[in-house]
Amino acid sequence: MAIIISMAIGLSWYSRKSACEAQEKAAVEKMQIALDDYLIDNGAYPVAIANVSDRLAGSVTFSNGIPLDPWGRTNYNYRTNSAQSFTLVSAGFDGLYGTADVLIAGK
């Protein structure tokens, strides 16, 4: 019985992790689109990700101008590399940068 319960808990955890990873990927894609729209309108990427929060209303949850990842943490790291280039990094499920589940996007 304990083995069955352990398997059920493991499957539930894996299912939640997979769902959150899919939400994370979708959120990063939406942020990329909002950042590109900002570039088109303003000629440069924003200095802070909070500058596109209005473009993401309803699709990405923000806390004090910082987007929350699917796990409820502020683990998105955004920086502009130049007026025409940015890097957006999500710390992933474990909340740590430099691990295998990190998601990196940018232009």
Side-chain angles (χ1 to χ4, degrees), residues 4-90:
I4 294 172
I5 292 172
S6 294
M7 288 174 56
I9 290 171
L11 288 174
S12 174
W13 173 86
Y14 179 78
S15 177
R16 172 157 163 59
K17 180 178 181 271
S18 294
C20 285
E21 287 172 341
Q23 290 174 354
E24 173 191 38
K25 184 176 179 185
V28 167
E29 289 172 357
K30 289 174 184 172
M31 284 187 264
Q32 282 185 286
I33 292 167
L35 291 163
D36 288 341
D37 289 347
Y38 187 97
L39 171 67
I40 291 166
D41 293 346
N42 298 285
Y45 285 109
V47 176
I49 193 81
N51 294 350
V52 297
S53 62
D54 60 325
R55 298 167 191 256
L56 294 165
S59 62
V60 176
T61 303
F62 280 77
S63 175
N64 297 322
I66 300 171
L68 298 175
D69 67 15
W71 298 278
R73 301 177 304 227
T74 55
N75 284 331
Y76 291 111
N77 184 338
Y78 168 79
R79 72 174 178 272
T80 55
N81 305 315
S82 70
Q84 305 293 312
S85 175
F86 72 90
T87 302
L88 178 63
V89 182
S90 173

